[in-house]
Amino acid sequence: MVDAEKGAGPSNAGPKMNQYEERNIFLEQDVGFCGGILIAISILMCIVFFPLAPFFIIKVVAQYEKAVILRLGCIRKGGAAGPGLFFFLPCVDEIHVVDMRTVSFDVPPQEILTKDSVTVTVDAVVYFRIQDAVSSVCNVDNVKTATRLLAQTTLRNMLGTKSLSEILSEREEISNSMQQTLDVATDPWGVLVERVEVKDVRLPQNLQRAMAAEAEAHRDAKAKVIAAEGELNASKALKEAADVIAESPSALQLRYLQTLSAIAAERNSTILFPMPIDMMKAFAEK
């Protein structure tokens, strides 16, 4: 039992490689004897042509850039160089300058068939930056083109599982989900996707007209309901007023006088004077 524990001990206690070492484990490769001879010849040429050599062996990298140097096809020890001034060997070193700033690009409009069989045209914008220059050079041919094509495919695949109402109302959730998917997919390339935004969702003209007609019909129906409710409330108020006036005959006379006062205030030349129905009954009896 003790031997088994001792045998298992070294495997568990061994040092673990971090993410950078796992990606760039090939940095420690030796160039070999022939490679050493070529490097020596390159150094000798720099010494021989010293007056002119500094113009060809000095490289300046800006603050926002990193330089990946391939010496005889292998990444030079130390990983990406820069920013600043450094030397390289002609005919032996190959330099790839990588921009580390945030880059944005527009995803071209994509015609997508939604979950409820509606064709929409959607475009987006993606913001990303390179966080590992060595991986962006060694693991992918053209990191910007690959990221752009992957963004187009991800946009089509993700919106194809959504209905039209979900696309129109859940833009923020779709953008966050797309950003996470792209970030995971481009991580082996040394790319960090910072933000994804769905810019515009364009509908076909016939669908726009149908939705506009539906919205207009809904507003008309709502307006008719509101007008009917107003008439109902007004009829109830008139009924209550009529009941109050019927209880007191003098209230009707006051209402007549109030109406005459309102008509006179408008400076009309003709005034209609209502005659009480009781007076007409008296003449009818005679």
Side-chain angles (χ1 to χ4, degrees):
M1 186 70 179
V2 176
D3 295 338
E5 293 177 355
K6 289 182 179 180
S11 61
N12 296 332
K16 295 182 178 180
M17 292 187 297
N18 55 27
Q19 187 177 6
Y20 180 80
E21 292 174 347
E22 290 178 354
R23 290 180 177 178
N24 306 287
I25 194 171
F26 46 81
L27 296 179
E28 303 298 331
Q29 293 180 358
D30 192 4
V31 295
F33 178 74
C34 295
I37 294 177
L38 294 176
I39 293 174
I41 294 173
S42 179
I43 296 174
L44 181 61
M45 291 177 60
C46 293
I47 296 174
V48 173
F49 299 98
F50 178 73
L52 299 176
F55 296 98
F56 300 96
I57 65 174
I58 295 177
K59 181 69 175 179
V60 178
V61 177
Q63 181 68 35
Y64 53 84
E65 294 177 336
K66 290 286 186 180
V68 179
I69 303 176
L70 298 176
R71 176 162 294 176
L72 297 176
C74 299
I75 300 294
R76 197 174 70 174
K77 294 182 180 180
L85 180 69
F86 63 92
F87 298 89
F88 65 95
L89 298 177
C91 304
V92 176
D93 293 343
E94 181 182 355
I95 301 177
H96 298 269
V97 179
V98 180
D99 194 338
M100 307 296 290
R101 294 176 295 181
T102 299
V103 180
S104 64
F105 65 88
D106 291 327
V107 179
Q110 305 290 316
E111 289 190 359
I112 301 169
L113 184 64
T114 62
K115 185 178 179 181
D116 48 356
S117 301
V118 178
T119 302
V120 296
T121 303
V122 184
D123 57 353
V125 59
V126 178
Y127 300 87
F128 74 96
R129 64 180 176 87
I130 297 175
Q131 62 179 353
D132 188 351
V134 176
S135 298
S136 67
V137 173
C138 297
N139 295 345
V140 63
D141 182 19
N142 191 325
V143 63
K144 293 183 179 179
T145 302
T147 304
R148 184 177 293 107
L149 295 176
L150 182 61
Q152 296 179 19
T153 306
T154 305
L155 180 64
R156 295 177 65 90
N157 294 339
M158 187 163 295
L159 295 185
T161 60
K162 303 287 185 180
S163 62
L164 179 60
S165 59
E166 292 175 346
I167 294 176
L168 296 177
S169 61
E170 300 178 0
R171 288 193 180 185
E172 185 175 357
E173 291 78 2
I174 293 174
S175 299
N176 294 335
S177 179
M178 185 176 174
Q179 185 264 333
Q180 295 176 2
T181 303
L182 284 176
D183 194 20
V184 172
T186 57
D187 183 67
W189 304 341
V191 175
L192 175 64
V193 179
E194 296 180 342
R195 190 178 183 87
V196 177
E197 291 292 340
V198 177
K199 293 174 57 178
D200 189 19
V201 179
R202 292 188 290 272
L203 305 177
Q205 293 294 331
N206 55 354
L207 182 59
Q208 292 182 13
R209 290 192 294 267
M211 294 179 66
E214 181 183 0
E216 184 178 1
H218 179 72
R219 289 193 297 268
D220 292 342
K222 187 175 181 180
K224 291 180 180 180
V225 171
I226 294 174
E229 292 178 353
E231 291 180 359
L232 178 62
N233 295 331
S235 63
K236 291 180 179 180
L238 289 175
K239 181 179 180 300
E240 293 177 357
D243 294 339
V244 172
I245 293 175
E247 294 176 358
S248 176
S250 60
L252 182 60
Q253 300 297 328
L254 294 175
R255 181 60 180 169
Y256 290 158
L257 295 176
Q258 185 180 5
T259 303
L260 289 175
S261 177
I263 295 174
E266 296 179 359
R267 297 180 181 179
N268 294 325
S269 59
T270 303
I271 297 177
L272 298 177
F273 183 77
M275 182 177 293
I277 297 176
D278 296 338
M279 185 180 297
M280 297 296 297
K281 289 181 179 180
F283 286 106
E285 291 176 356
K286 293 181 180 180

